[in-house]
Amino acid sequence: MVLALNGSHLYGNLRPLVLEEPRAGGRMIAGSWPPRSLAKLGPSPPPSALPTASPLPANDSQCGEQILSYGSAEKVLIGAVLCLITLLTIAGNCLVVISVCFVKKLRQPSNYLIVSLALADLSVALAVMPFVSVTDLIGGEWIFGRLFCNVFIAMDVMCCTASIMTLCVISIDR
């Protein structure tokens, strides 16, 4: 959100945060603010029962923002849920593609858009979701290297955009 309140009290408080440059030579994580900017935001909220977040000191790839530490039981539960979601996404979209391919009555131009959506969602399930699941389970640290980080981001954007655009075309067709 952009505020154009030139002489206001709010703009005066936000100005040091907006105009401040990152420290020279300091490592920053993608999308993060420099530590001295964070100190200007005021006192931190009281600790909660959620997993603790710590800055990412040893991640060379700078692809993640924070490391979250979960307990063993939480990792098993989160891993099971993420795997179940991924497998159900793959199975459901495969069923859509197979049903339109094999049932002659379903081979209509409007259903081809549904197949296109299923293929776009299948590409998300195969190319994006497994790597996000692994990254979440190990605490948010990207372990697949800098090159694959860039490939992953490109695949994520491309597959999700294909899915969204297909939804737009389906809505126009209907």
Side-chain angles (χ1 to χ4, degrees), residues 61-136:
S61 67
Q62 297 181 358
C63 194
E65 291 189 9
Q66 294 177 341
I67 294 180
L68 299 174
S69 55
Y70 296 111
S72 298
E74 292 167 327
K75 283 185 181 181
V76 169
L77 180 64
I78 291 171
V81 169
L82 292 175
C83 285
L84 181 67
I85 291 171
T86 302
L87 292 175
L88 286 175
T89 303
I90 292 170
N93 287 305
C94 284
L95 285 175
V96 169
V97 172
I98 290 169
S99 65
V100 173
C101 287
F102 288 124
V103 178
K104 190 169 185 165
K105 196 172 187 180
L106 294 176
R107 289 187 211 153
Q108 299 173 7
S110 61
N111 286 341
Y112 294 156
L113 293 174
I114 303 297
V115 170
S116 176
L117 178 63
L119 290 173
D121 290 342
L122 188 61
S123 67
V124 170
L126 293 173
V128 176
M129 291 172 72
F131 301 105
V132 171
S133 299
V134 169
T135 302
D136 285 346

Side-chain angles (χ1 to χ4, degrees), residues 12-86:
N13 286 340
L14 291 177
R15 188 171 185 195
L17 296 174
V18 174
L19 298 178
E20 184 174 22
E21 293 295 321
R23 289 180 285 176
R27 286 180 24 131
M28 286 187 54
I29 300 166
S32 67
W33 288 4
R36 66 176 179 239
S37 294
L38 291 175
K40 293 179 184 178
L41 291 177
S44 61
S48 65
L50 296 174
T52 59
S54 62
L56 191 56
N59 189 357
D60 257 346
S61 67
Q62 297 181 358
C63 194
E65 291 189 9
Q66 294 177 341
I67 294 180
L68 299 174
S69 55
Y70 296 111
S72 298
E74 292 167 327
K75 283 185 181 181
V76 169
L77 180 64
I78 291 171
V81 169
L82 292 175
C83 285
L84 181 67
I85 291 171
T86 302

